[in-house]
């Protein structure tokens, strides 16, 4: 059995979408590790043999790219920002997910409340239906009244079925958000009155800057600037060092010479050579100008998105406060000036009917008004509940 708060925590650990985003964070950390590695040296071997004669040559060499002019730092800078971007995306998704779970739990709680008072009314009407049926059989009441009350009982029964389906559907949707299978026996306690405390956070500017979506937009600007530096580094000169060893055996065909002892022998010799080379990439024609220009434009775009994220956050904070204030006032009116009076009115009308001073139609009409008011109270409670959740979401609390 969960509380709404525990259900939100459970969803953050089990929701498949969040689990996928956590895997994306791990992938970004792997790319960060890869970005810090230097290029591998390259081994080159080559052998040559003359088509005629015994001349042959063997060469082996190693080439090492130097990765100069900030290329390594540029790759690491971009990979670090990409990993941080994935973390911020995960945090923002968690903020929205917790709020979404609470909102869906509110739908279940409101459907349960409507279902509960409808069941109570249906039971009360069925009990009175038995009493009225007995009165009709004794001739103390007309048969028409029994028919009218039967219609009302059936109408309440039909409404009850609809409300039961709403509870079931909302519960299934809540299970999906929490990463539960449809057959999972979910049970959670609470009521719409248990909405979160909706106090305004001090230091509004700081609170907005700490919101995961604003932090994400800020990280994207840092990523865009890191890409600019990386593209600039790619456009600078680079070099690689090579070291090689070559062994060559050479001879002259059909030409003989004398050895030190005076014997005839073929003229041949073996030569060993060690070489060192430096290859420099000269960025005369291609300085990566196109990619640099594209990265600069992306950085400007990221700056504009950051401004928009801050503006959106301020609007959401202000709107959530206004929504909460209006919903709270509406709830107070319902609780003090509508619902209790309607309940007393309904009791009086039914008692008046039992005394024979009003008609059954009047009692049924009053009951329907009371049902509308009860459902209105449920909606008012849910509006306050939703507004409190929205304040948490707007201040970024739900993602922590």
């Amino acid at each position: 059995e969960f509380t709404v708060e525990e259900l939100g925590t459970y969803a953050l650990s089990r929701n498949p979408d969040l689990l996928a985003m956590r895997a994306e964070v791990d992938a970004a950390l792997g790319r960060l590790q890869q970005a810090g590695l230097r290029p591998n040296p390259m081994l080159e071997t080559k052998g040559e043999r003359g088509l005629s004669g015994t001349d042959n040559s063997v060469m082996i060499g190693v080439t090492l790219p130097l990765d100069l002019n900030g290329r390594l730092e540029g790759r690491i800078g971009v990979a670090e920002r990409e990993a941080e971007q994935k973390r911020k995306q995960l945090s923002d998704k968690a903020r929205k997910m917790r709020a979404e779970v609470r909102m869906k739990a509110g739908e279940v709680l409101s459907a349960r409340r409507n279902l509960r008072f409808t069941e109570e009314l249906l039971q009360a009407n069925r009990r009175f239906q038995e009493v009225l049926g007995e009165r009709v059989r004794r001739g103390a009441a007309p048969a028409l009244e029994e028919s009218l009350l039967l219609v009302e009982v059936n109408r309440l029964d039909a409404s009850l079925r609809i409300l039961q389906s709403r509870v079931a559907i909302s519960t299934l949707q809540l299970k999906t958000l929490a990463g539960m299978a449809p057959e999972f026996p979910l049970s959670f306690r609470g009521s719409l009155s248990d909405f979160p405390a909706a106090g305004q956070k001090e230091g509004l500017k700081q609170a907005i800057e700490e919101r995961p979506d604003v932090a994400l937009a800020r990280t994207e600007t840092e990523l865009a600037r890191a890409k600019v530096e990386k593209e600039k580094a790619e456009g600078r000169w680079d070099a690689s060092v090579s070291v090689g060893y070559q062994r060559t055996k050479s001879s002259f065909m059909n030409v003989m010479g004398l050895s030190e002892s005076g014997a005839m022998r073929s003229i041949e010799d073996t030569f060993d050579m060690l070489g060192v080379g430096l290859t420099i990439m000269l960025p005369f024609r291609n300085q990566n100008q196109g990619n640099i220009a594209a990265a600069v434009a992306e950085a400007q775009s990221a700056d504009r998105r950051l401004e928009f994220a801050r503006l959106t956050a301020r609007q959401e904070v202000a709107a959530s406060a206004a929504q909460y204030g209006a919903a709270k006032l509406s709830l107070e009116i319902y609780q003090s000036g509508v619902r209790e009076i309607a309940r007393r009115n309904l009791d009086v009308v039914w008692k008046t009917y039992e005394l024979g001073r009003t008609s059954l139609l009047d009692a049924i009409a009053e009951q329907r008004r009371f049902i509308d008011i009860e459902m209105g109270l449920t909606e008012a409670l849910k509006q306050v509940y939703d507004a409190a959740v929205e304040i948490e979401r707007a201040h970024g609390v739900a993602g922590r």
Side-chain angles (χ1 to χ4, degrees):
E1 186 177 33
F2 297 91
T3 64
V4 175
E5 181 67 24
E6 290 167 348
L7 191 58
T9 302
Y10 183 93
L12 295 185
S13 65
R14 298 296 184 92
N15 181 270
D17 198 13
L18 286 177
L19 293 178
M21 294 189 72
R22 288 192 179 96
E24 291 178 4
V25 172
D26 294 337
L29 293 176
R31 287 191 290 271
L32 173 59
Q33 180 184 7
Q34 183 64 34
L37 302 178
R38 291 284 188 176
N40 290 320
M42 293 173 287
L43 177 66
E44 181 183 2
T45 61
K46 183 171 67 174
E48 296 178 350
R49 184 177 180 85
L51 296 178
S52 60
T54 60
D55 291 357
N56 61 75
S57 174
V58 176
M59 186 272 291
I60 182 170
V62 176
T63 301
L64 178 65
L66 298 182
D67 207 24
L68 301 175
N69 284 316
R71 283 173 168 79
L72 175 65
E73 292 78 5
R75 291 197 306 272
I76 292 176
V78 170
E80 285 178 342
R81 302 309 185 280
E82 287 179 342
E84 186 63 22
Q85 180 190 42
K86 292 297 182 182
R87 292 192 190 97
K88 292 297 190 296
Q89 287 175 345
L90 176 61
S91 179
D92 189 45
K93 181 66 175 179
R95 172 182 72 100
K96 295 176 180 177
M97 178 63 65
R98 185 184 289 273
E100 191 173 355
V101 168
R102 288 186 174 186
M103 291 285 195
K104 187 58 66 176
E107 290 184 15
V108 176
L109 292 172
S110 64
R112 283 182 181 177
R113 186 183 185 278
N114 287 338
L115 177 62
R116 186 169 54 253
F117 80 74
T118 302
E119 286 176 339
E120 293 172 357
L121 281 177
L122 180 58
Q123 291 172 4
N125 277 254
R126 281 176 173 167
R127 287 194 298 269
F128 188 72
Q129 186 181 24
E130 294 174 0
V131 175
L132 182 59
E134 184 63 28
R135 292 174 61 184
V136 169
R137 283 189 292 274
R138 294 199 313 264
L144 178 61
E145 290 192 353
E146 185 178 19
S147 298
L148 292 174
L149 188 58
L150 177 61
V151 170
E152 183 64 13
V153 168
N154 290 338
R155 191 187 69 84
L156 285 173
D157 196 13
S159 299
L160 187 69
R161 308 297 177 181
I162 297 296
L163 291 171
Q164 287 172 340
S165 69
R166 287 179 184 173
V167 172
I169 293 171
S170 297
T171 302
L172 285 172
Q173 293 171 343
L174 183 58
K175 288 179 182 180
T176 300
L177 289 175
M180 300 173 179
E183 63 274 10
F184 188 90
L186 173 61
S187 174
F188 71 97
R189 60 187 181 274
S191 69
L192 289 175
S193 301
D194 301 331
F195 46 78
Q200 287 288 344
K201 200 172 183 182
E202 294 184 2
L204 181 59
K205 184 175 181 180
Q206 180 181 358
I208 288 175
E209 289 300 316
E210 291 175 356
R211 261 181 54 147
D213 57 339
V214 176
L216 171 61
R218 190 165 56 249
T219 301
E220 288 176 346
T221 64
E222 296 169 358
L223 172 60
R225 293 189 177 90
K227 286 182 177 179
V228 172
E229 295 303 317
K230 176 180 177 294
E231 297 299 342
K232 287 181 178 179
E234 294 292 337
R236 302 187 185 109
W237 65 273
D238 197 8
S240 58
V241 176
S242 60
V243 179
Y245 166 76
Q246 183 172 351
R247 182 181 181 87
T248 303
K249 183 178 179 181
S250 181
S251 64
F252 294 93
M253 294 180 60
N254 302 322
V255 178
M256 304 294 288
L258 297 174
S259 66
E260 293 180 355
S261 62
M264 299 294 292
R265 72 177 184 86
S266 59
I267 300 176
E268 61 180 17
D269 203 352
T270 300
F271 305 93
D272 295 304
M273 290 176 287
L274 180 67
V276 177
L278 177 67
T279 302
I280 299 177
M281 187 275 288
L282 301 176
F284 290 149
R285 303 170 70 180
N286 179 3
Q287 296 179 350
N288 212 26
Q289 301 97 318
N291 287 337
I292 292 173
V296 170
E298 289 176 356
Q300 294 173 348
S301 174
D303 289 337
R304 302 290 83 77
R305 284 196 296 269
L306 175 58
E307 292 177 6
F308 182 72
R310 286 170 173 156
L311 183 63
T312 300
R314 294 179 65 87
Q315 178 270 327
E316 289 180 356
V317 168
S320 65
Q323 178 186 0
Y324 182 78
K328 191 76 172 172
L329 180 59
S330 174
L331 177 60
E332 291 172 358
I333 295 172
Y334 256 102
Q335 289 177 329
S336 62
V338 178
R339 196 255 186 181
E340 290 304 320
I341 297 175
R343 166 62 75 178
R344 291 197 299 268
N345 290 344
L346 180 61
D347 292 340
V348 169
V349 170
W350 274 113
K351 289 178 181 178
T352 304
Y353 167 73
E354 291 173 4
L355 295 173
R357 296 181 180 177
T358 188
S359 67
L360 179 61
L361 288 176
D362 290 337
I364 291 175
E366 188 63 32
Q367 179 173 275
R368 291 181 180 179
R369 278 195 293 269
F370 178 73
I371 292 173
D372 291 341
I373 290 171
E374 275 290 336
M375 290 191 171
L377 176 58
T378 300
E379 184 62 25
L381 283 166
K382 188 174 183 301
Q383 288 291 333
V384 176
Y385 179 96
D386 290 350
V389 173
E390 180 63 20
I391 284 181
E392 284 197 347
R393 189 195 66 80
H395 284 81
V397 177
R400 299 176 188 168

